[in-house]
Amino acid sequence: MTCSSPALPVEAMQYSAYLLEPGKIELRRVPIPKAGPGQVVLRIERALAGGTDRKAFERGHPQIPMPGPFGHRYAGTVAELGPGAPAFEPGQPVMGVHSAPCLTCPLCRKERWSLCPDVMREKVLGAFAQDLCIPAPVARQNLFPRPAGLSAEHAALLEPTACVVHGLESIEWRGVDRVLILGFGAMGLLFAQLLPHYTRAERAGAGKRARRLELARRFGIAPVWDLATTPLREQLAENERFDCVIDCTGRLEGWQQAFDRTAPGGQVLLFGGLPRGTLFSVDSYRLHYEEIRVLGSFHFAPRDVARARELLLSGNMELAPLIDGCLPLSQLEEVLRRLQNGEGFQYAIDPWK
Ligand SMILES: [Zn+2]
C-alpha cells in the first residue's frame, strides 16, 4: 500500500524536494500525506543528504525513481497516526530508517533480511520535505521513540550507522590482529568509531582529506596514512598486509587496494558500492591458496538498526563531526553540488528554515 495523497485544502500543503533527473532538484508544493492503515505521518525536523543522495544526483540510483520524492535519512515528530499504527503519541519525537524486510520470504526465513527482495517495496522516499508518510511495515519494524538527549540531526544518522553495524557484524573477528580502513568519508569515520565495540585489534587507516584524517586519529586510528600526495604503495612495504581491510572509498581502485592489502587467511569487506556491471578482478591464487574471504555488505537487518540505535543513544559516539552543516530545504541542490565537489560528506537539511 502506498501512502494516500487525496485532494486537500490549500492549507494542508507542504514543500517536498523532487529529484527530476540527475543534476536537477525541484521544490514542489504537494499535499501533506494522510496516514493510512498502519502508517505514521511525521513532521520532519532534519533530513540528511549524504553519499547515496550524491550518487543519485550524479547518475541516478536503481532504488530512487525519477522524477520522484527524494531523501531517506530523517528524524521528526509524529504528526498523525493511521488506524492500527504502532503506539506512538502525536507530537512524540521519533527516529527511523527507510525500509523493512517482509519477514516471510525464503531469504528472510534464512535471516538474510538485507537481501529480502521486498526490502525496498514500501520504502521511505521524500525525507527532503516538511511532512513524510512512513509505510506500515517500516513504522512497525523500524520506527522508534527518540529520547530528548539525542538531537534530530544526530538521530537521522540511524540509517548509516545501521549500515556500518551490518558490515561489522559480517566480519569474523576471531584471529583479527590488524585492521585497515580505506577512505574516511562519513562511513569510514563511523567504522573508526564503532570498531572498538567489535575488536581490540590494531586499527590503521588511509585517506585523503586532512580534516578527516585528523578525526580518524581522534577516533583511535593509528597509524593514518595521508594519500593526498603519496599513494599507499609508496608508504607501505609491498608485503605489509592486514587481517581485515574495510573499503569505504566506493571506488574500484579502493577495492583493488583493499584486496591487495589483505593478509593470507584475512577478510576484505567491500562496503562502498560500485555501479552495476563494474568488473572487479582478483588474483585467483590469493583467493584459493591464501584463503582470502571477500565480503560484500549492503543495507542492514532490523537487528542492526536496533544495535545502531543503542550505540547512538549510548552517548559514547562523537556525532557532530559527521555532519558538515545544516542548510534549508531550498538549498538542497546547492548541498548536493557541494557533496559532488568534495566539500563535505554529509549535510543536515532543515525543511522549516
Ligand atoms: Zn523477505
Side-chain angles (χ1 to χ4, degrees):
M1 184 186 297
T2 53
C3 292
S4 49
S5 301
L8 289 167
V10 172
E11 63 268 25
M13 303 290 277
Q14 62 143 336
Y15 284 106
S16 175
Y18 276 58
L19 179 62
L20 300 184
E21 58 187 73
K24 215 165 184 182
I25 300 286
E26 184 177 85
L27 204 54
R28 289 190 179 174
R29 195 100 170 110
V30 299
I32 292 176
K34 287 291 294 170
Q39 298 173 349
V40 178
V41 171
L42 301 188
R43 186 133 286 202
I44 296 293
E45 285 177 61
R46 291 289 187 277
L48 292 183
T52 306
D53 307 295
R54 175 186 53 77
K55 281 188 220 169
F57 183 71
E58 257 170 28
R59 58 179 192 236
H61 191 285
Q63 294 297 341
I64 302 176
M66 295 179 293
F70 192 30
H72 66 286
R73 293 173 177 170
Y74 62 90
T77 55
V78 173
E80 191 198 354
L81 294 158
F88 294 106
E89 297 289 332
Q92 184 175 2
V94 289
M95 59 200 287
V97 296
H98 65 300
S99 71
C102 76
L103 305 180
T104 57
C105 76
L107 282 160
C108 281
R109 286 205 300 273
K110 290 179 187 170
E111 302 192 352
R112 300 301 303 267
W113 297 284
S114 61
L115 303 179
C116 170
D118 285 337
V119 75
M120 297 289 191
R121 195 162 58 89
E122 288 191 59
K123 63 181 176 287
V124 172
L125 274 179
F128 298 134
Q130 292 176 318
D131 298 272
L132 175 69
C133 182
I134 307 298
V138 181
R140 198 167 52 241
Q141 292 182 56
N142 279 334
L143 189 67
F144 307 93
R146 170 166 55 93
L150 189 66
S151 71
E153 202 162 295
H154 293 169
L157 289 164
L158 183 61
E159 191 264 353
T161 308
C163 290
V164 168
V165 166
H166 186 66
L168 288 165
E169 293 281 347
S170 70
I171 294 164
E172 166 58 65
W173 290 106
R174 204 158 31 105
V176 174
D177 294 325
R178 297 181 80 206
V179 182
L180 173 68
I181 299 177
L182 295 178
F184 288 108
M187 302 308 246
L189 289 174
L190 275 171
F191 269 104
Q193 285 201 59
L194 297 185
L195 265 174
H197 292 270
Y198 288 84
T199 177
R200 297 168 67 99
E202 177 190 319
R203 291 163 277 140
K208 281 188 177 161
R209 289 172 198 278
R211 192 173 78 82
R212 297 281 157 168
L213 300 185
E214 203 42 61
L215 284 169
R217 285 188 192 98
R218 198 157 98 204
F219 298 153
I221 304 297
V224 175
W225 293 287
D226 186 345
L227 309 183
T229 49
T230 316
L232 195 60
R233 67 174 178 278
E234 290 178 24
Q235 301 190 59
L236 286 188
E238 199 183 328
N239 60 356
E240 181 149 12
R241 297 211 163 102
F242 299 79
D243 304 311
C244 175
V245 185
I246 301 172
D247 174 75
C248 297
T249 68
R251 301 166 68 89
L252 186 57
E253 311 88 84
W255 281 37
Q256 207 63 63
Q257 210 160 49
F259 184 81
D260 291 347
R261 291 290 169 183
T262 306
Q267 302 161 78
V268 54
L269 181 71
L270 303 169
F271 184 81
L274 304 177
R276 188 188 290 271
T278 307
L279 297 182
F280 172 48
S281 16
V282 296
D283 181 347
S284 61
Y285 180 94
R286 302 208 61 219
L287 275 182
H288 181 85
Y289 293 100
E290 297 186 3
E291 296 190 2
I292 289 176
R293 289 172 55 206
V294 179
L295 308 170
S297 181
F298 167 68
H299 212 64
F300 45 78
R303 65 181 175 204
D304 303 319
V305 181
R307 177 78 179 122
R309 182 168 175 271
E310 269 173 32
L311 291 163
L312 290 174
L313 296 186
S314 70
N316 295 328
M317 292 179 68
E318 276 198 62
L319 301 172
L322 303 177
I323 297 171
D324 295 289
C326 180
L327 279 92
L329 185 58
S330 56
Q331 282 182 257
L332 177 62
E333 195 169 307
E334 157 71 15
V335 163
L336 291 159
R337 293 202 189 285
R338 283 192 199 179
L339 292 172
Q340 246 181 330
N341 296 335
E343 297 167 36
F345 290 94
Q346 190 151 243
Y347 285 84
I349 300 294
D350 180 349
W352 299 96
K353 261 205 279 198

